[in-house]
Amino acid sequence: MVMESTPKSVPEATSAGSWNMKGDTRASHKIRNYGILLVTLIVLSILIAILVIYVNALSALGYKQPHIVLLLPDDLGWNDVGWNNPDLKMPILNQLAADGVIFNQTYVQPSCTPSRSSLMTGLYPFKTGNQHRMLFGLERSGLPLEFKLLPQSLKDVGYLTHALGKWHLGFCKKEYLPTSRGFDSHYGQLGGGASHWTKETSMFAQGYDFRDNSGVVQKSDTYLTFMLAERAAEIIMGHFKEYPLYLQFNLDTPAKSLEVPPEYEALYSDIADNRTRKFYGKLSVMDDAVGTVVEALKTRGMWDDTLLIFMSDNGALATQSGSNWPLRGIAATLFEGATRVPAFIHGSMLSQTGYINNELWHMVDLHETILSIAGAKSEPGIDGIDMWETFSMGKPSPRKEFVYNIDDFEPSPGAAIR
């Protein structure tokens, strides 16, 4: 005699007019889970389809998203570049600037953390709470997590994003790290003031500061700038050219120490002053690091599609032999020496090149401008203005005023507007 069993998915009759609900509940859960999974897959498919249509539409219009390389040196003064100081040996940067557009009216915040926060958010730092000078080693703070950052918006339109060098926007927990805020990778320092040789910082908290994503880089005696430039070349050579690249190279030079490889100091052997000789040597190191990046872009066949942007995060510190001459003041003040910085752009997508542009713009505008040329949307209510027509065609700047800073914190320089 063959006995037939009732499948588990079918509720068993217990009495006339009643059913066992246990099996029915399991079946309902399975159906609901399958439904959620199906809806999720459909939504993802729609989003992917929209992205493909968007990219194809741009291609049909003859627009190709450029690779964007931002070179952001640390504490570079007005007189610390070859086009303002003929005593400096930086042939690569001089040629790039001459072949591109040199800017004479580019402004930033008085110090590094505020400037970097304005780049990342498109907002003046007093609106994000980052206006109080730089972020120190033991501060339980950073760029607030509620703000969507530049690399996150770039990823929305297909960019692969990488950061090199100093982050300086928070690391008190993992949510503040660059790889949690839109960068596919980060290689460099999380804080400020790290030694070029030992990678240790002494800015109110002694410690080793050199990371490869979330891991610590093993100590070495290789000069930090060379390590960062080598990683930049590796990223470029391994990049999938079908995708646009955003590479933010936060150069550790000239920064806050006078450590320099002897062969670069020797380039200025005719200078008697020891500090100036070392400082100029660091600027030539920076030039060679930029050369490594440019050579990699050319070798990989990406150079003609790359927009290169170069600008300092704030002016120089006289205590480190940097020079803002003839501008008044040093970093962390509200004077021009802190807030007006050398800058240039270079790229085949510029319709007018080889001249000096005297139009006004601020680092906060770079956020909106980069998103504009990438085909990405910015967050509503930002302070940045799209400067692409000014950059690429030399049209008059739409910016007529800006905020130097607003800060009532006692050690801060105060407030000023233009």
Side-chain angles (χ1 to χ4, degrees):
M1 181 177 180
V2 178
M3 300 294 292
E4 293 185 1
S5 61
T6 304
K8 291 183 178 180
S9 59
V10 179
E12 296 178 14
T14 56
S15 62
S18 77
W19 291 85
N20 183 343
M21 299 303 295
K22 186 175 181 180
D24 186 46
T25 301
R26 286 199 298 264
S28 298
H29 285 172
K30 286 184 179 180
I31 292 171
R32 184 166 63 252
N33 290 339
Y34 288 144
I36 293 172
L37 178 61
L38 180 61
V39 170
T40 302
L41 291 174
I42 291 172
V43 171
L44 287 174
S45 299
I46 292 172
L47 290 174
I48 292 171
I50 291 172
L51 181 60
V52 170
I53 291 170
Y54 176 80
V55 172
N56 289 339
L58 290 177
S59 299
L61 293 171
Y63 181 78
K64 182 178 182 180
Q65 292 169 299
H67 305 300
I68 301 169
V69 176
L70 173 60
L71 302 171
L72 195 64
D74 193 11
D75 300 336
L76 185 75
W78 184 261
N79 198 46
D80 295 339
V81 291
W83 52 96
N84 291 335
N85 182 352
D87 293 335
L88 292 169
K89 296 177 173 64
M90 46 173 61
I92 296 167
L93 282 166
N94 283 348
Q95 191 63 55
L96 290 170
D99 292 341
V101 180
I102 296 172
F103 294 102
N104 263 358
Q105 292 288 328
T106 300
Y107 285 83
V108 295
Q109 298 301 127
S111 55
C112 41
T113 296
S115 281
R116 291 161 197 268
S117 71
S118 69
L119 168 67
M120 288 289 104
T121 63
L123 293 165
Y124 290 124
F126 74 87
K127 294 184 177 181
T128 65
N130 297 109
Q131 73 271 37
H132 308 309
R133 297 212 176 181
M134 70 185 73
L135 193 68
F136 294 122
L138 295 180
E139 286 192 62
R140 294 176 295 175
S141 182
L143 183 52
L145 301 177
E146 63 262 31
F147 296 104
K148 186 174 183 179
L149 304 192
L150 176 66
Q152 293 171 315
S153 296
L154 289 173
K155 289 186 71 64
D156 288 344
V157 292
Y159 273 78
L160 300 179
T161 59
H162 301 277
L164 297 164
K166 184 174 76 168
W167 172 238
H168 221 173
L169 291 173
F171 59 92
C172 58
K173 56 182 179 178
K174 66 179 182 180
E175 287 82 4
Y176 284 95
L177 299 179
T179 48
S180 298
R181 311 212 64 181
F183 284 107
D184 294 319
S185 75
H186 171 250
Y187 183 74
Q189 317 93 285
L190 293 176
S195 160
H196 304 295
W197 292 114
T198 68
K199 291 80 175 177
E200 292 183 356
T201 180
S202 57
M203 294 182 64
F204 300 92
Q206 185 74 30
Y208 182 73
D209 185 13
F210 192 12
R211 300 283 179 133
D212 190 348
N213 296 320
S214 60
V216 178
V217 177
Q218 185 176 358
K219 286 190 176 183
S220 75
D221 57 359
T222 304
Y223 197 74
L224 178 56
T225 312
F226 298 145
M227 297 178 74
L228 297 176
E230 182 180 347
R231 175 58 65 91
E234 290 175 0
I235 289 171
I236 293 166
M237 295 306 295
H239 179 71
F240 294 100
K241 291 191 291 183
E242 295 77 10
Y243 294 88
L245 168 70
Y246 176 69
L247 176 63
Q248 184 171 316
F249 190 172
N250 303 309
L251 287 148
D252 64 312
T253 50
K256 299 171 178 66
S257 75
L258 287 174
E259 302 167 321
V260 62
E263 63 270 25
Y264 286 89
E265 181 181 354
L267 293 174
Y268 300 93
S269 57
D270 57 328
I271 295 178
D273 181 72
N274 179 57
R275 294 172 59 82
T276 302
R277 190 170 61 248
K278 289 179 180 294
F279 186 81
Y280 280 14
K282 289 180 65 176
L283 298 175
S284 291
V285 169
M286 177 179 68
D287 192 64
D288 274 358
V290 173
T292 298
V293 173
V294 171
E295 185 59 34
L297 289 165
K298 291 180 177 179
T299 302
R300 188 72 179 107
M302 296 166 59
W303 179 242
D304 292 339
D305 299 318
T306 296
L307 178 69
L308 187 77
I309 305 168
F310 177 94
M311 68 182 298
S312 179
D313 63 344
N314 52 254
L317 288 164
T319 54
Q320 304 301 326
S321 294
S323 173
N324 300 309
W325 188 89
L327 306 180
R328 179 186 182 186
I330 61 172
T333 70
L334 290 172
F335 297 122
E336 296 279 281
T339 57
R340 184 177 169 192
V341 296
F344 74 81
I345 57 172
H346 180 285
S348 62
M349 58 290 300
L350 304 175
S351 58
Q352 185 176 350
T353 58
Y355 73 104
I356 295 175
N357 185 306
N358 290 305
E359 296 297 318
L360 179 69
W361 62 280
H362 188 280
M363 180 177 269
V364 77
D365 301 321
L366 195 55
H367 178 98
E368 175 67 14
T369 306
I370 288 175
L371 292 183
S372 172
I373 62 179
K377 288 186 177 181
S378 57
E379 294 295 284
I382 67 169
D383 299 305
I385 301 173
D386 183 3
M387 291 288 167
W388 183 238
E389 290 189 349
T390 300
F391 285 7
S392 61
M393 294 182 280
K395 289 189 175 183
S397 170
R399 178 165 292 287
K400 305 304 178 187
E401 60 187 15
F402 67 85
V403 178
Y404 286 91
N405 204 20
I406 299 176
D407 191 5
D408 56 4
F409 185 54
E410 187 173 346
S412 193
I417 60 172
R418 172 168 170 168

